[in-house]
Structures are given as structure tokens and as C-alpha cells.
Amino acid sequence: RVDEWTDVDRKRVMNDIITTMFNKKFMEELFKPQDLYSKKALRTVYDRLAHASIMRLNQASMDKLYDLMTMAFKYQVLLCPRPKDILLVTFNHLDAIKDFVRDSPGILNQVDETFRQLIETYSCLSAGEFQLIRQTLLVFFQDMHIRVSIFLKDKVQNSNGRFVLPISGPVPWVIKICFNNDLFLRMFNRNGDEVKRTEFTTGGNYVTPQREGSFDLYGDRVLKLGTNMYSVSRPVETHMSGSSKNLASHAKENIAPNPLAKEELNFLARLLGGLEIKKPGGSETGFRLNLFTTDEEEEHAALTRPEELSYKVINIEATQ
Amino acid sequence: MRAPLRATAARPSPGRRGGLSPRLPPVRLPSLLSFQAAWCVLPSRVLLVLTSQKGIQMYESDGSIMVYWHALDVAEHPPAQAVFARGIAAAGGRFICVGTSSGLVLVFDIPPKGTNITVSEVLEQHRDAITDIAAELGQAPDGAGDLVTADDAGSLCVWSTGEEFTLRSKIPAFGCACSSVKLWNGVVAAGYGNGQIRLYEAATGLLRAEVNAHARWIYALDLAPETGKLLSGAEDSFVHAWKLQRTPDTRRLQIEHCHAECVTDTQVCGARFCDPEGNSFAVTGYDLSEIFCYGRA
């Protein structure tokens, strides 16, 4: 039976998960150039991370947590105004993580080390290379339309599960607009002199951006994507959008034999081998996190989850 | 896995089969990220060309036979770099040109029929991944070249095709990736990652127009050769139609905005005219399993 969580418990779980995630060996594996993981592989790693401490989740709550994570991530990648902004989003995540462990210099150091590695690896990539990374990520999340209540409430997601793409607001820090917030056209003669300028309305309502976000270890990122969604605490739910023809492609993917399966399992074993998992000791009872309002609801959710959305987690014992 | 679709429809022309055949090729395509699919219309035949991370495939237009397979040489690329082919165009009535992630442009010599396809040349002017290639769709003025190649850095090269390809002009980058390009009556129309469309003289590389057309990355450009209509689609959910006017004798160039269409909550990935006059066009987008067709009311 789950007892009340105390602040000490919360801090413990937070620290454990962050320590595990930013473990040197794990990060070394992640930074090796490689293809994107399969959905199964990603879910397996995520499960392992979520259970890195004294917190436990049942299948249904784990599924829900993962759904939430994927939709939030999809939202952030999709809405990046410029391809390079996925790096700023990453930095926003790291800034928030650093704040969670600000009282633990050891863990803080690990996170900073990863931060530096990210800067070193990605700062020099071109817009085209970032766009390729972004497109690859978007293909991974294609056809996922799980409704998240926090997104529905904030009107960033429609009731059909698709995200709202605003056609007003600041243009990315590479676009020029003119005084009336319209887009415009300039013509030049053979001497290079501007001979004509026309403005035209598109139906959008754009404004000039303030400034570019910082790509340094510390700085104002300007971009809000990737900042803590729960800085104002509110309840969160996810809703399956029900079976639709789009989900048929998921079912097909699970059935077809993957010729790279062996290679992938080996890779996963290496990756998970770098995750130092602390199993709760004899006297520690551990805490179960239920993302539903009652235990019965959680059980019901596990039974009624659409088959197409099952993640088929791989169990790997990667002890060293 | 479906890649963000860049819609490419065959332009119907007399005596040639247009549109996609309902029959799938018998070869099971690898489940890798496919980058592009394009019809290459040559005087004697139409080939379907597919590019991916592994290489380049060419099929007969009904998809029944794969006539050619070209594997990409991974050794040519620096480690930790993605390897792929991207950018497809039929050129000079005889060649199919395909770009690669290393910046090379492969020129394939295509016989009127059969599978005896060879690499006749490799163009080495680009240092960044090729994004798009386009052949002249109208009438090139003298010395203007009939092929344009574009790369991730935003550099463009204009070529004259033939037994040996000649570089005609080089258009320098200005700090933004050029995602798509079209060539018509000696005018290069280039779409960029910062939402700009630029028009250049193909013969000299001179900038003639700069349009701040979109608020996000432009994914697609298409041109209707019989009217000079230009179509642009971008991540900002908008598709714009423009009118290019080009008088070959006076070499005057005009561009004006004709129409804007907002595909609500959709990042447009592909936009193509469905006819050579540009009276209708088709649009595809991320997370969209439908193709939207727009026509005159």
C-alpha cells in the first residue's frame, strides 16, 4: 500500500533519476553517432529510467507517462520556429534539470558536463543538418495523436489530437518583416539597385522577434518551448484518440520481422548496462506512482488500452 | 515508416502515361527513410527514381521492374555524417541527375530503353549536402545553362548539360539553406530555410528579386511552365501562388503575388501544380495522410 510521499522522497527520486540519466557511461553511448532507436527500444530505455529510484509504476501508469512524454516532445519539436531551436529546447530542459539538483554539486557537475558535450557536438551544425535531425524525429512521431488534457486546456492541441500551429506571433530570428507586420517583396535591376518594393498580406499576423536565444552554458534562451510545463501545477490526463485508420501503420510495424533486431538488442544491452540502477534495499518499501485517480481506474486503463498502442517493452537483464 | 511527403505528380503529356500506377513494385522496399520520389520524363521513356539512405533506385514508370540500383559509397563521407541521396532531375533529354549528402551530383546517362544505365559524370562543385536539382522548364536564353543544383549551405550552381557538363555560374550562399529550386526561361527561383524566395538570372547569377514569402522553412517550390506561375509551400501552413513574367527579348522580370492558401494546423511538406498552366495544385503535409487538391472555382 502506498504511503504519503514526503518532500524527502520526491527529492530522492528526482536525484536518483537525474544521476542515472546523466551517468557518464550512458551519455558516452548516447553521443555515439547512430540511427534513431526503434519505438520498442526507446520505450525500454524510458522504462528503465523511470524505475531508477524507489518509485514504481504499473503498466497502465507507465503507458500513460510515456504517452505524455512523447506528445510533449512531439509538440516541442514540431513547433520549433527554426531547425536550430531544437538545441535551445534541449538547453531549456537542461536548465530546468540543473535547477532541480541545484543543492547537489556532484550531480550538477554531471549535467554541466553533458551540457558542454552538447554544445561541442551540435553548435556547429548547419540549419540544413538540424532540419534533417528534426525531420527524422518528426517521422518517428508521425501519426501519434494522443490527446493530453494540459494541451487541450491551453488550446495548443485540438480535440482531434493535432497540434495548433499559430499563424501569428514572432517570426523566427532569421526572417525580416516590414513595418506593417506584413511580408514583402523587393526587386532589383541589373546594377543591383532596388527598384520596387511591395507588401502583401497573407492572413497571418507576424511581429519582429526580440532577439536570439543564447546557445551558451548559461543565458536567456528566449524560446519558451521546452520549459517546465508544470511550473503551475495542474492535473494531467491523456486520452487515446480511439482506433483510427492512421493507427493501422503501427500494427503493421510490430508484425514485420526486424532484420536488425539482434543488433538492436545488443545495442540496448550496452546502453542499459551503463545505467546504474539502484534496487530498493531491504528496509525501503518503495513508492508506487499512479497517474490515474484511483487504483481501479488504473486497472481498467490497462485492460482497455487499444492493441495498436501497446509498446511491447523488451526486458533486458544487463547486469555487469 | 512514411517520410514527410514531397508530392510530385507527373505532368500529363500526350502519348505518355501520367499519374501513379496502382500496382506496387514487386521488390520490397527497405524500411528506411525514403527521401524523395520523382518521375523523370525523357523523350524516349519515363523512369521513377527513388532516393534513400542506401542509394538510388530507378524503376520503369509502371513500377514493374527496377532497372537500376546505385549504392552510395559510405567511404566518401566523413564519419558521423548522415549518408543519403537527395535531389532528382531529368536533364538535357538524356540524363538523370541525382545529388548526394556529400555535395556530389551524379549524372546518369539513360539509354532509350533497357537497363544499361551508366554514371557519365560526377559534378563536384558543392561542399554541402545537395537539397534540390532542377532542369530548365521553358526556353533558356543563350548562355544561361539548363540545370541548377542547390545545397544545404545555400549555394547554387547553374550548368549546361551535355557530354560534359559545364559550370555557367555560381550563386553564393547568404547564410541560409536553399531547400528547393526551379529554373524557367533563364530565371532561377530558389526557396530558402528562412522563408525567402529569391530570383536570379541563370546566366550571370545576378539577384533580381527577394521575396520574404513565408514565416518558416520553405519545403516546396513548383513552377507551371506555360504561364510562369510559381507555387511555394512552407512550414508556416501557407501555400502561395506567384506570377513570374519574363520577356526573353527585353529580359525584364516581374513577380507578383496571386493567391495565399492556409492549410490550417499543417506544416506543408509538398506542393505541386497538377497541370502545366498552374490552374490547380496539390498539397501534402506532416501527419497528413490526405493530399489536398485546390483548383479554380
Side-chain angles (χ1 to χ4, degrees):
Chain A
R1 185 70 193 94
V2 179
D3 297 307
E4 286 296 322
W5 290 78
T6 64
D7 272 346
V8 174
D9 299 322
R10 283 194 190 91
K11 196 119 187 116
R12 162 90 189 262
V13 172
M14 193 67 97
N15 281 1
D16 284 349
I17 291 179
I18 293 172
T19 307
T20 307
M21 197 187 289
F22 289 87
N23 168 275
K24 194 167 153 79
K25 283 193 67 180
F26 183 58
M27 280 298 149
E28 253 167 39
E29 277 298 327
L30 283 186
F31 270 88
K32 287 184 185 158
Q34 58 197 286
D35 286 333
L36 206 60
Y37 310 161
S38 68
K39 293 190 163 96
K40 273 190 227 170
L42 181 65
R43 173 59 195 264
T44 305
V45 173
Y46 193 73
D47 269 15
R48 200 56 100 83
L49 281 172
H51 288 91
S53 184
I54 52 177
M55 182 178 75
R56 292 283 169 271
L57 291 101
N58 281 351
Q59 180 74 2
S61 282
M62 197 58 233
D63 285 342
K64 187 167 172 175
L65 185 64
Y66 187 76
D67 287 344
L68 182 61
M69 187 279 289
T70 47
M71 289 310 289
F73 188 74
K74 179 176 181 176
Y75 172 69
Q76 289 166 22
V77 174
L78 186 66
L79 261 82
C80 275
R82 309 170 298 173
K84 194 172 185 181
D85 289 336
I86 54 175
L87 195 55
L88 277 182
V89 169
T90 310
F91 290 168
N92 271 335
H93 279 256
L94 286 181
D95 286 341
I97 290 169
K98 280 166 67 172
D99 191 54
F100 292 145
V101 293
R102 62 182 175 275
D103 299 329
S104 315
I107 313 173
L108 198 53
N109 228 4
Q110 274 178 266
V111 181
D112 267 338
E113 193 42 54
T114 303
F115 215 128
R116 275 184 219 108
Q117 245 186 312
L118 279 168
I119 293 173
E120 193 185 300
T121 311
Y122 292 101
S123 292
C124 49
L125 291 191
S126 68
E129 287 167 311
F130 273 117
Q131 184 68 313
L132 188 60
I133 292 173
R134 184 170 166 271
Q135 282 173 331
T136 310
L137 291 171
L138 287 176
V139 170
F140 185 90
F141 293 115
Q142 193 157 232
D143 298 333
M144 286 189 198
H145 300 299
I146 298 161
R147 300 192 311 273
V148 176
S149 69
I150 200 175
F151 289 148
L152 294 171
K153 198 137 103 47
D154 290 348
K155 304 244 187 306
V156 303
Q157 192 179 28
N158 294 321
S159 54
N160 62 5
R162 285 157 193 279
F163 291 117
V164 174
L165 299 183
I167 57 170
S168 61
V171 286
W173 186 256
V174 277
I175 310 240
K176 290 183 283 193
I177 58 175
C178 64
F179 314 108
N180 304 330
N181 294 340
D182 287 334
L183 298 172
F184 65 96
L185 178 163
R186 299 201 293 164
M187 301 233 35
F188 306 92
N189 63 17
R190 285 225 176 68
N191 299 326
D193 308 315
E194 183 180 317
V195 294
K196 187 171 162 185
R197 178 182 282 231
T198 333
E199 288 163 26
F200 53 93
T201 31
T202 59
N205 182 20
Y206 302 108
V207 294
T208 336
Q210 310 164 294
R211 61 193 182 285
E212 189 179 20
S214 159
F215 286 89
D216 294 326
L217 200 58
Y218 302 96
D220 180 3
R221 313 293 171 200
V222 180
L223 190 67
K224 292 290 161 258
L225 286 173
T227 53
N228 192 349
M229 280 160 48
Y230 303 104
S231 42
V232 177
S233 68
R234 34 192 162 174
V236 79
E237 285 160 38
T238 56
H239 309 271
M240 301 303 122
S241 37
S243 49
S244 76
K245 57 186 182 302
N246 288 334
L247 293 173
S249 62
H250 279 265
K252 282 208 199 94
E253 200 194 327
N254 285 333
I255 292 165
N258 180 3
L260 299 170
K262 181 160 181 281
E263 211 179 283
E264 190 176 81
L265 285 176
N266 286 339
F267 155 76
L268 263 185
R270 273 201 324 271
L271 192 67
L272 297 175
L275 288 178
E276 287 162 17
I277 309 299
K278 301 186 188 95
K279 293 217 155 54
S283 56
E284 292 174 310
T285 42
F287 295 86
R288 190 168 70 78
L289 178 66
N290 182 350
L291 287 178
F292 298 83
T293 35
T294 62
D295 286 351
E296 288 71 36
E297 219 188 282
E298 189 187 42
E299 254 174 60
H300 184 252
L303 294 168
T304 56
R305 189 176 178 82
E307 177 57 34
E308 313 90 78
L309 290 171
S310 75
Y311 292 105
K312 295 191 171 55
V313 174
I314 305 168
N315 287 313
I316 291 181
E317 264 307 319
T319 50
Q320 294 194 283
Chain B
M1 269 207 272
R2 274 190 295 118
L5 261 175
R6 296 182 77 166
T8 308
R11 291 201 181 79
S13 47
R16 222 167 292 296
R17 202 181 320 167
L20 281 166
S21 164
R23 192 154 40 121
L24 291 171
V27 176
R28 184 178 173 274
L29 294 173
S31 57
L32 296 165
L33 204 63
S34 284
F35 271 81
Q36 274 185 313
W39 299 109
C40 288
V41 180
L42 294 164
S44 53
R45 69 200 295 192
V46 176
L47 290 179
L48 176 64
V49 180
L50 306 175
T51 62
S52 72
Q53 287 173 283
K54 290 291 192 224
I56 302 156
Q57 296 171 311
M58 298 191 192
Y59 289 84
E60 292 291 5
S61 62
D62 63 356
S64 57
I65 317 161
M66 184 169 77
V67 296
Y68 187 70
W69 158 251
H70 181 98
L72 286 175
D73 186 0
V74 182
E76 270 168 10
H77 295 74
Q81 288 257 358
V83 177
F84 53 85
R86 184 171 61 187
I88 308 166
R94 184 181 150 190
F95 305 101
I96 289 178
C97 302
V98 181
T100 68
S101 44
S102 59
L104 300 176
V105 177
L106 303 169
V107 179
F108 297 97
D109 198 338
I110 313 290
K113 58 178 179 214
T115 59
N116 188 22
I117 294 169
T118 54
V119 178
S120 71
E121 204 173 344
V122 178
L123 308 175
E124 292 183 45
Q125 281 291 330
H126 292 275
R127 284 200 311 270
D128 298 89
I130 302 295
T131 49
D132 200 9
I133 304 179
E136 169 65 69
L137 293 168
Q139 288 282 21
D142 286 334
D146 58 338
L147 186 81
V148 60
T149 53
D151 68 28
D152 250 359
S155 303
L156 297 146
C157 292
V158 182
W159 309 84
S160 281
T161 61
E163 285 285 338
E164 253 183 52
F165 279 42
T166 328
L167 181 69
R168 284 291 175 201
S169 64
K170 225 172 159 171
I171 297 165
F174 62 90
C176 207
C178 176
S179 49
S180 44
V181 73
K182 281 280 174 281
L183 181 58
W184 179 72
N185 290 353
V187 177
V188 173
Y192 291 87
N194 68 350
Q196 254 188 18
I197 296 174
R198 289 188 169 198
L199 302 180
Y200 302 91
E201 296 272 6
T204 55
L206 209 66
L207 175 68
R208 295 304 305 278
E210 186 184 291
V211 187
N212 284 13
H214 288 274
R216 294 282 188 278
W217 188 282
I218 292 178
Y219 264 119
L221 277 189
D222 196 22
L223 198 138
E226 284 177 29
T227 52
K229 278 216 192 112
L230 183 71
L231 194 67
S232 63
E235 271 180 15
D236 63 357
S237 308
F238 278 93
V239 178
H240 290 295
W242 316 82
K243 185 77 191 298
L244 257 63
Q245 264 159 323
R246 169 70 155 182
T247 39
D249 44 348
T250 63
R251 303 258 222 132
R252 195 188 299 155
L253 174 62
Q254 296 280 17
I255 177 171
E256 58 176 14
H257 182 249
C258 295
H259 184 72
E261 200 63 52
C262 180
V263 190
T264 315
D265 296 337
T266 303
Q267 293 194 348
V268 174
C269 290
R272 283 286 184 271
F273 283 119
C274 299
D275 61 277
E277 290 100 35
N279 289 326
S280 58
F281 57 88
V283 173
T284 60
Y286 174 69
D287 253 353
L288 214 56
S289 44
E290 296 119 328
I291 300 176
F292 290 143
C293 293
Y294 297 82
R296 286 191 180 284

